[in-house]
Amino acid sequence: MIQLVDIHKSFKNQKVLDGLHLEVEGGKTTVIIGLSGGGKSVLLKHMIGLLKPDSGSVIVDGEDITKMNDRDLNETRKKFGMLFQEAALFDSMNVFENVAFPLREHTKMTESQIGDRVQSRLQDVGLVGVEEKMPSELSGGMKKRVGLARALVMEPRIVLFDEPTTGLDPIMTEAIDRLIYESQKKYNLTCVVISHDLKSIFDIGHRIAMLYDGKIIGYGTPDEMKNSENPVIRQFLTGSLEGPISVV
Amino acid sequence: MGRVIAFFDRFGRSIFSALEEMGSMLLLFLSVVAWAGRPPFKTRLIIKQMEFVGVKSIFVVVLTGLFTGMVMTLQIYYGFRMFSAEALVGSTVALGMARELGPVLTALMVTARAGSAMAAELGTMRVTEQIDALYVMAANPVKTLIVPRVIAGITMLPVLTVVSVFVGVLGGYFVGVPILDINKGMFIKNITTYVSLSDIYNGLIKAAFFGFILSFVGCYKGFTTTGGAEGVGKSTTEAVVVAAITILISDYFLTALMF
């Protein structure tokens, strides 16, 4: 469904992705793990064409999006939804308008159809009665849930999650994980999730990929990753200070 | 020798960086032009921005226009009295307001109020990934965010300038006639005699141009913001400084061309 082939990306003199290969399977949740500042968000932004690689291909449904013009890229983006790290809700719009935005932008739905669809998505994420609230009036967890409703409102086939549970309390983390899990099952989504939260990783991931040093150094099911012999993966998953990853 | 090389190195880098910025401004300008002409037109967003740039700036524009007209009358009166030319005070104030101070002062005030707000709003949207969210939702940010603001700038500045010139002349009248005792009839008649329609038209063309500068610079600076809250502050300051300087410099050339 999504293939990243030999991706190289540098910012000024800093190499972030260095010959990265990854294949994301359709209808499954792939969790990308790796060190903070290691290029996970950069990798995610390549999948949807927010960043272009210095070299390499990003293939979505058989088409290389790095070679597309803006119009074709926009068409491909309609297959995607994305939940940003801080939800990225539009400050100037209330919750309803935020969730309705893609529908108003790309469909000819009537206001009543839009209203029904927005209500249904807000119900999916457990938010009712907040339609008139502005993003500044919402808690971090509520913002993420509104962001998820907005990401799902166009019924995308692929949803990208950039650290969906960072900064949330354990209960809200569990709630968001469950929402991701249930949404993936309900709509048979292809999900790519960046996460640091070890519990989340194993709760929601069908596949786990470890990004280290600009490359995917391990890929497999949660069990395969847990039993990996790779010392970097072992150190990361055990959260140990001892090992090949030196932090201090 | 090392210092000389370092100097040329810094000099060369600053030239390249300036050229790079000019190139990126030109690309954004072309993109704005292309998207402005491509339907569907975002009428609701354009009206919202027109309200923000136009209606919400009226108070500050009236205040500056009024007091500028009043103080100009005082100053010109003391100069013209030396030549017994007090009757020409009204027309001189009107000409000055229509050709110069109306468009320039309005543009500077709107730059401070709306241009800075555009840079801050778009800058915040950039650093909080709201602009990325627009791209992800296949909604072009240039069409959604920049085009409505630029259209509002171009259309609202001439309207605000008309208001500014009108209240400026009115302020001049209230200082000139009742306080300085200039003949009421001569004050008004000389305005209609010496101020031609082309003075007003040209002032309004200038205002539209300044409206473009302040909105485009505000949007460009906001749109290209990097580096979190500090970056937003820097963009906002730069937007005001660059727009104000560009308005004043271009005012000279526009005046030289027009009048």
Side-chain angles (χ1 to χ4, degrees), chain B residues 156-232:
Chain B
M156 283 295 105
L157 257 284
V159 178
L160 290 171
T161 299
V162 168
V163 174
S164 170
V165 173
F166 178 74
V167 294
V169 175
L170 208 65
Y173 177 87
F174 285 126
V175 171
V177 176
I179 299 175
L180 301 174
D181 211 21
I182 298 172
N183 181 279
K184 180 181 165 186
M186 292 303 283
F187 189 97
I188 296 170
K189 186 177 180 304
N190 281 337
I191 291 177
T192 54
T193 308
Y194 292 109
V195 181
S196 67
L197 214 52
S198 70
D199 292 319
I200 295 167
Y201 283 150
N202 288 337
L204 297 186
I205 292 170
K206 267 190 190 180
F209 187 75
F210 297 156
F212 166 74
I213 289 173
L214 75 90
S215 54
F216 182 74
V217 170
C219 289
Y220 172 80
K221 288 291 175 188
F223 201 64
T224 53
T225 299
T226 52
E230 192 188 352
V232 175

Side-chain angles (χ1 to χ4, degrees), chain B residues 14-50:
Chain B
S14 56
I15 296 280
F16 274 120
S17 146
L19 285 173
E20 197 179 326
E21 180 140 28
M22 280 165 70
S24 110
M25 277 181 125
L26 180 67
L27 286 176
L28 185 65
F29 171 71
L30 294 175
S31 180
V32 168
V33 172
W35 281 106
R38 197 182 298 180
F41 302 107
K42 306 264 181 192
T43 322
R44 207 167 54 89
L45 292 177
I46 293 171
I47 291 170
K48 194 175 166 190
Q49 288 304 321
M50 285 168 94

